[in-house]
Amino acid sequence: MRLVSVSLLALAVAACSSTPPIETGPVVTEVQLLALNDLHGRLEAPEEAVSVTMADGSVATVPAGGAAMLAGALKQYRTGASMTVAAGDLIGATPLASALFLDEPTIEALDLMGLEYSALGNHEFDKGVPELLRIQNGGCDQFTDRAPCALDGSFDGADFTYMAANVFLPDGTNLLPDAFVKDFGAVQVGVIGLPLVDVPGLVAPNLVDGLVFTDEAEAANALVPRLIAEGADTIVLLIHQGARGVERWDDKGCAGLSGDVLPIVEKLDPAISVVVSGHTHFSYTCTLPMAGGEGERLLTSAGRYGAFFTDIRLEFVGEELVAKRADNVVVQGEAFVGRDGETIAPDPRLPLFNPDPAVEALVARTVGAAREQMDLVVGRLSGPAPDHPDDYESPVANLIADAQLASTRAQGRGGADIAFINGGGVRAALVPGVNGHLTFEQIFTVQPFGNTLMTMTLSGAQLKALLEQQFMTAEGETREYHLIPSGNFAFAYDMTRPAGDRVVWMRLDGEDVDPSRDYRVTANNFIAAGGDGYTVFKQGRDVTGGGNDLDALVAWLADGRAVPAVGRITDLTPRR
C-alpha cells in the first residue's frame, strides 16, 4: 500500500509539473489629472456663490474658493497615480494681498498644492517677460515699480513648470518648455502647454516685443510625433483659451457651448485625448467627437478663482487608453453673507473639505502683512457703482474714465480733451461701506493692473476709426466690445450698418466731432499700445505719460464723488 501511495504521489507531481501557468490579462491603470485654471491670485476665499443642481432636481447655492480650502480639497482627492496641472492665469489681475508682493505668495501656495505643469495665460505676461522668468526661476532682481522679495526677503521661483509651446524668441527657441512626458509606470502621459495666440492683443504690446506667438493647434500637433517617440500613450493639452455659453456648469451635455477654443479642438491630432482649458472663467466638462469619427475627446475648465477643480480619470488597459471621464468639484468654503443679506453656507450633500494648514498659514501671513494698506480709507462714493457683465458702459467704468480725464486734463499732464477706458480693464464694482467709505483694497480690485495713462493727439477722423474698432476684429469679423468715454464725450452706433461705418455720431461737450480737428485723447498704456485690437491709438502723435491709473482713481475719489449715470453710449441698432 505504501508503494502504491508513493507511485500515485509521483504521478500527481508529474501531472502538476505539466500544467501550463495561468495567464494574466494586461495591467489596468487609472491615471488622475487634477486641473485648475484662472486662479488670479485669489488667496483668500473670493466669496463666490455657486449653484449646484442636486440629484432630486433641487438647486443648492454654496460658498466656494479660497487657496487653503482648494489645497485641502486637492489633497483629499489625490490618488497614487495623479498629476496636478493648470491652464494659466494663475497670477495677474490679482487681489491686493497677492499683488503687493508681486504674486510670489500665490506661486508658493501653488507649490504647496502640488502643481506640476501649467500653460501660460495672458496675465502671466502682465509685467513683462523678465518678470515672468523671475517668477519661474526665482530671485530678487527688480523689473517692476514694486520691490520683489518683500514678504520673505527671498523668492525661489515656481516648483512647477510654466509651458509655452507656441511662444518663440527671435532666435526661434521656445520662451519656456513646450512639452513633457510623465511616467506612471505602466503608462506614460504626454503634456503640452500653451497660451492663446492672441496674447499680444491682451497685454500691453511692448511687454511681448520680440516674441512670436503661433497657431495653437499647429503648435500642439507638431509636438505629437516627438511625444509618442518618447513613449506617450496619450497626450493632454493645457491651453489658455476656452469656451462659454454653457447653460449649467454641472450639465455634461454642455448645452449652449461656444467659444474660441472649439475650432482649435476640432483641428487637434487624435493622440490628444484631453484638453484642459481656461480664459473664459466658465466651468464645464464636455465630451466632444473628434474629427473623422476617431473617437471622443474631453474638454474641461474649472471656472475661476479656485471655486472648482476638475477631477479627470484616464483608464488604460496595458498601454491603451480605453475610457476617460471628468467631473468638476465645487471647493466648498466658509459660509458668508451675500449682498442681499442671505447666508451662503456649505451643503453637507456635497463634498466638504478641511483647509490645508500650510497654505492657511501662508495666506494669513500674507494678508496680515498687507492689511494696513488694504484697509486704508482713501475715498468716498455716494452709493454702489455697478460693473457691466459684458464689459459695456457702466457706472464704475464711467467713474474711471472721468478720473483719467481729470488726471490728464492740465496742460502739464497731457492737456486731454477726452479719456477712454476699455471695458475689460474694469474688473469689479465699487460698493462703498459705512459713510460711503472706500478702501484702497476696493479701488485696487477695480483697477489692479498698474497701467500708465498715456495722452496723444488724434484727428476727429482717427477718433471715428478708433471707435469703429469696437465693432470689428482685425480679421474683419463683427464684435461688440466698448470703449467707455469720459462724461464730456458721447457717441451712438448701429450694428446693422456696414463694418467701418457703424458709429452714427460723436459729440464732445455737446458739439459734433470735426473730422479735420485734432483732439487730445487719454487711454491706459495697454490700449494706447494697441491692446484689445485698438490699433488706431498707435497712430497717436505727441504722446505723453500721465501717471498711474490707480493713482488717478484714488485722487478722483479722495474728496467724494456721486455715482455717474450711464448714457454716454447710445445703441441705435433696430430691435425686432
Side-chain angles (χ1 to χ4, degrees):
M1 291 294 295
R2 185 171 179 270
L3 292 174
V4 171
S5 299
V6 170
S7 299
L8 290 173
L9 179 60
L11 289 171
V13 170
C16 289
S17 65
S18 64
T19 302
I22 298 173
E23 294 186 7
T24 59
V27 175
V28 177
T29 305
E30 183 183 77
V31 171
Q32 179 192 52
L33 307 175
L34 295 173
L36 322 171
N37 57 275
D38 295 276
L39 181 63
H40 288 290
R42 260 46 176 197
L43 295 174
E44 296 181 278
E47 297 193 346
E48 288 270 292
V50 173
S51 296
V52 185
T53 303
M54 300 296 185
D56 61 2
S58 62
V59 176
T61 301
V62 300
M69 203 66 79
L70 175 60
L74 293 173
K75 184 184 295 184
Q76 183 172 317
Y77 262 70
R78 188 170 283 126
T79 69
S82 183
M83 173 170 56
T84 304
V85 299
D89 273 11
L90 304 177
I91 60 174
T94 50
L96 188 59
S98 182
L100 278 175
F101 304 109
L102 291 172
D103 292 324
E104 294 168 4
T106 296
I107 296 298
E108 185 178 347
L110 289 163
D111 287 344
L112 291 170
M113 290 181 202
L115 182 63
E116 295 179 60
Y117 305 109
S118 178
L120 285 177
N122 52 288
H123 281 290
E124 269 83 10
F125 290 92
D126 278 350
K127 294 180 174 62
V129 171
E131 175 65 5
L132 168 58
L133 296 178
R134 188 190 73 86
I135 288 292
Q136 177 69 86
N137 300 320
C140 298
D141 291 341
Q142 185 166 350
F143 302 108
T144 73
D145 292 338
R146 198 170 296 281
C149 303
L151 183 63
D152 294 322
S154 64
F155 177 61
D156 295 334
D159 293 341
F160 62 91
T161 301
Y162 269 123
M163 304 170 71
N166 63 333
V167 186
F168 298 92
L169 297 167
D171 64 2
T173 58
N174 278 98
L175 171 67
L176 287 167
D178 52 9
F180 293 93
V181 174
K182 170 85 171 183
D183 187 356
F184 288 95
V187 299
Q188 285 74 44
V189 177
V191 183
I192 300 169
L194 45 78
L196 70 169
V197 71
D198 296 330
V199 165
L202 297 171
V203 301
N206 61 293
L207 296 177
V208 292
D209 277 350
L211 296 182
V212 176
F213 291 77
T214 64
D215 180 84
E216 302 98 332
E218 290 178 7
N221 289 341
L223 290 166
V224 169
R226 188 190 94 191
L227 293 177
I228 291 176
E230 292 176 3
D233 299 305
T234 194
I235 298 171
V236 175
L237 174 63
L238 314 176
I239 180 172
H240 192 70
Q241 180 57 283
R244 59 180 70 245
V246 286
E247 295 175 5
R248 270 183 32 210
W249 69 268
D250 50 359
D251 174 15
K252 293 188 178 182
C254 290
L257 186 74
S258 62
D260 292 338
V261 79
L262 298 182
I264 299 170
V265 171
E266 290 172 359
K267 293 185 286 187
L268 293 176
D269 188 290
I272 300 173
S273 61
V274 179
V275 177
V276 176
S277 66
H279 189 50
T280 60
H281 293 193
F282 275 77
S283 180
Y284 45 80
T285 54
C286 307
T287 302
L288 304 177
M290 294 188 191
E294 297 191 56
E296 295 180 325
R297 179 180 287 121
L298 287 179
L299 173 66
T300 73
S301 174
R304 65 178 187 176
Y305 305 161
F308 299 87
F309 68 89
T310 311
D311 180 16
I312 302 168
R313 306 295 177 104
L314 307 178
E315 183 179 338
F316 296 83
V317 175
E319 297 177 349
E320 181 184 0
L321 177 63
V322 297
K324 48 190 176 289
R325 69 182 190 276
D327 296 287
N328 273 330
V329 180
V330 180
V331 180
Q332 289 203 92
E334 300 292 337
F336 68 91
V337 177
R339 290 183 179 179
D340 297 331
E342 79 282 16
T343 299
I344 310 297
D347 192 308
R349 294 174 293 175
L350 298 170
L352 299 171
F353 307 105
N354 294 316
D356 179 84
V359 177
E360 192 171 39
L362 169 66
V363 173
R365 182 163 56 88
T366 302
V367 172
R371 179 52 59 193
E372 183 177 352
Q373 186 169 351
M374 293 165 68
D375 289 345
L376 189 65
V377 174
V378 294
R380 290 183 294 109
L381 193 60
S382 64
D387 190 14
H388 194 289
D390 294 320
D391 295 333
Y392 295 169
E393 185 189 1
S394 67
V396 68
N398 288 350
L399 196 69
I400 294 169
D402 292 345
Q404 295 185 357
L405 177 61
S407 180
T408 57
R409 192 145 209 179
Q411 288 302 316
R413 298 277 295 178
D417 299 306
I418 312 160
F420 290 103
I421 177 67
N422 53 313
V426 183
R427 304 304 283 193
L430 267 178
V431 181
V434 177
N435 299 322
H437 286 170
L438 294 169
T439 66
F440 184 78
E441 180 181 20
Q442 288 176 292
I443 298 174
F444 179 90
T445 301
V446 173
Q447 291 248 270
F449 301 111
N451 287 324
T452 300
L453 299 181
M454 310 298 293
T455 305
M456 69 200 69
T457 299
L458 294 173
S459 70
Q462 288 174 315
L463 193 54
K464 182 178 186 299
L466 171 69
L467 295 182
E468 293 291 350
Q469 290 186 313
Q470 300 172 97
F471 310 117
M472 184 174 61
T473 67
E475 294 74 31
E477 299 173 351
T478 296
R479 71 169 183 176
E480 189 170 346
Y481 189 66
H482 290 183
L483 276 175
I484 295 95
S486 50
N488 61 336
F489 186 87
F491 67 90
Y493 67 96
D494 179 351
M495 294 299 292
T496 64
R497 291 169 62 140
D501 192 32
R502 289 171 173 149
V503 175
V504 180
W505 51 257
M506 304 177 294
R507 293 175 188 145
L508 176 64
D509 296 322
E511 301 291 332
D512 288 341
V513 168
D514 182 347
S516 62
R517 179 188 156 187
D518 283 343
Y519 299 88
R520 295 288 286 168
V521 181
T522 291
N524 62 55
N525 64 290
F526 166 59
I527 53 174
D532 274 347
Y534 294 119
T535 57
V536 171
F537 276 125
K538 296 170 71 175
Q539 301 171 16
R541 294 164 279 131
D542 302 322
V543 181
T544 59
N548 179 274
D549 58 356
L550 179 63
D551 293 343
L553 186 55
V554 169
W556 183 244
L557 292 167
D559 295 329
R561 295 288 165 186
V563 176
V566 296
R568 303 173 186 184
I569 302 174
T570 302
D571 183 358
L572 297 177
T573 307
R575 307 297 178 189
R576 293 183 179 179

